[in-house]
Amino acid sequence: ETMPRGLYQTPDTKKTEYKKYLDRSGVHDALTKVLVGLYEEPDRPVNAIDYIKKHLGGQPGLGAEDKMKKENEDMKTKIKELENSIGDLRRQMIKEDDVGATLRQMNT
């Protein structure tokens, strides 16, 4: 009977494998760039966590649920704008069709 692989790993081996994982996935580079950017910031931000979130692609102060709610509201607004544009274009087409019909009648 074989033992699971994890039972034979020393803490140093686990640590080394985890570091390799972070390097392969790009986490190490991304965190390093953000932390260097924070270090080089001439005016230290009041909230370093928000700075890190912002520069890692997140929105400061917003959790996953809040971000989805905001995105949902933004999409609803965009849908309304697009629906209004469609309505405007339809009205414009109707007017152009009416003008075209009037011109055709005048030419006959």
Side-chain angles (χ1 to χ4, degrees):
E1 183 175 300
T2 60
M3 297 293 286
R5 191 181 98 143
L7 294 180
Y8 292 114
Q9 292 181 327
T10 64
D12 288 339
T13 303
K14 287 181 181 180
K15 186 177 178 180
T16 301
E17 285 185 17
Y18 189 69
K19 285 181 179 180
K20 287 179 184 177
Y21 161 73
L22 293 177
D23 284 337
R24 282 191 311 268
S25 64
V27 171
H28 186 261
D29 286 340
L31 287 174
T32 300
K33 287 178 186 176
V34 170
L35 292 173
V36 167
L38 178 60
Y39 175 77
E40 292 176 347
E41 192 71 33
D43 299 319
R44 297 277 194 258
V46 175
N47 190 329
I49 295 293
D50 282 349
Y51 177 93
I52 291 168
K53 286 180 181 179
K54 178 181 176 187
H55 288 83
L56 281 176
Q59 295 181 359
L62 293 182
E65 184 178 338
D66 291 333
K67 285 170 52 175
M68 286 192 290
K69 285 180 181 179
K70 182 182 179 337
E71 183 179 358
N72 189 22
E73 289 303 316
D74 291 346
M75 288 180 174
K76 286 179 181 179
T77 301
K78 184 66 175 177
I79 288 169
K80 284 289 184 198
E81 290 171 1
L82 292 171
E83 287 173 341
N84 289 337
S85 294
I86 290 170
D88 292 344
L89 291 170
R90 285 184 176 153
R91 284 186 288 282
Q92 183 180 349
M93 287 175 55
I94 290 170
K95 285 181 186 177
E96 289 175 2
D97 284 347
D98 290 345
V99 170
T102 302
L103 289 175
R104 282 191 294 277
Q105 286 177 351
M106 293 171 68
N107 289 332
T108 55

